[in-house]
Amino acid sequence: MGDKNDIYNVNLPPGFRFDPTDEELVVHFLQRKATLLPCHPHVIPDLHLYSYDPWQLHGRALLEGNKWYYYSRRTQNRVTDNGYWKATGMEEAVICSTNNKKVGMKKHFVFHVGESPASGIKTNWIMQEFCLSDSASSSAKSSKRKSKPIKDYSKWVICRVYEQNEDGDDGMDQLSYLDEVFLSLDDLDEISLPNY
């Protein structure tokens, strides 16, 4: 088997990408986790988010493009060794497209380096945290087996983490600086230099 850090770099067939919508993350992944149903394929790992800074997720969380995905336990303390996740105040309902019911919530966080809000430095790291709506999590509690004690899986969240570029988007459609340099080298063939 390969390196332990490469476990969650999923090898999908050519042309396939792990790019779920908000609804798909909540309905097809998070609800299944909360109700203890298997999720096939099992591609999203369980990770204690607050043990890692966002730049340490590579090899630990599912990476697709420039976004990392993982399950974590819901908590109020979002502090890591080098900083903390600060809520932006933006919360959005995740609505099921088939029945227009709220199935979850999406909260936005920004990572700050430092120990406190007074001394923290805002970074470009963004986390979207998805949790089940109250009705979905209560149905998850009722569907659990009562024969043996188990963890309360309705407290799980799915996180999507990415580094936002300076323009405010996630950079998926833009070229990196090196890509631009290499593409400009191709143009050198079209430039005619004077003969001396």
Side-chain angles (χ1 to χ4, degrees):
M1 193 160 192
D3 182 14
K4 178 182 155 189
N5 288 340
D6 292 329
I7 290 173
Y8 294 107
N9 293 335
V10 177
N11 292 320
L12 296 173
F16 287 86
R17 304 287 181 266
F18 186 80
D19 191 22
T21 64
D22 295 351
E23 177 189 358
E24 290 167 340
L25 279 175
V26 171
V27 173
H28 297 290
F29 291 95
L30 188 55
Q31 270 187 343
R32 294 186 71 82
K33 179 91 168 165
T35 56
L36 300 177
L37 293 172
C39 188
H40 299 289
H42 178 68
V43 294
I44 301 177
D46 298 347
L47 188 67
H48 186 328
L49 162 68
Y50 312 110
S51 300
Y52 304 104
D53 295 314
W55 51 85
Q56 296 174 316
L57 292 174
H58 188 72
R60 293 180 172 94
L62 169 64
L63 172 64
E64 180 60 45
N66 69 340
K67 297 176 184 175
W68 287 267
Y69 297 88
Y70 52 89
Y71 293 108
S72 187
R73 301 290 285 178
R74 185 171 24 189
T75 180
Q76 296 301 316
N77 181 12
R78 294 179 176 89
V79 177
T80 69
D81 288 340
N82 295 308
Y84 57 94
W85 291 99
K86 182 178 179 183
T88 64
M90 292 177 48
E91 290 189 26
E92 301 173 39
V94 178
I95 306 297
C96 181
S97 59
T98 57
N99 60 15
N100 288 330
K101 290 187 179 179
K102 182 171 90 169
V103 291
M105 291 296 296
K106 177 170 71 169
K107 298 177 183 179
H108 299 262
F109 297 86
V110 175
F111 189 75
H112 289 72
V113 175
E115 294 181 11
S116 68
S119 64
I121 300 169
K122 182 178 176 182
T123 69
N124 290 338
W125 287 97
I126 307 296
M127 177 174 66
Q128 297 171 343
E129 184 182 86
F130 296 87
C131 62
L132 293 173
S133 66
D134 291 335
S135 61
S137 70
S138 64
S139 68
K141 288 178 189 173
S142 65
S143 69
K144 291 182 188 172
R145 289 174 265 148
K146 303 198 186 324
S147 59
K148 59 181 171 175
I150 52 177
K151 290 182 182 176
D152 182 5
Y153 282 89
S154 65
K155 299 300 183 206
W156 284 99
V157 294
I158 286 186
C159 299
R160 177 192 288 147
V161 176
Y162 58 93
E163 188 173 18
Q164 190 175 43
N165 66 22
E166 298 297 325
D167 296 333
D169 63 11
D170 61 15
M172 288 296 289
D173 299 327
Q174 295 189 359
L175 297 174
S176 71
Y177 176 73
L178 284 176
D179 289 337
E180 291 178 6
V181 169
F182 288 129
L183 286 174
S184 69
L185 292 176
D186 292 340
D187 295 338
L188 289 178
D189 295 338
E190 299 171 6
I191 298 174
S192 60
L193 299 173
N195 293 331
Y196 291 102

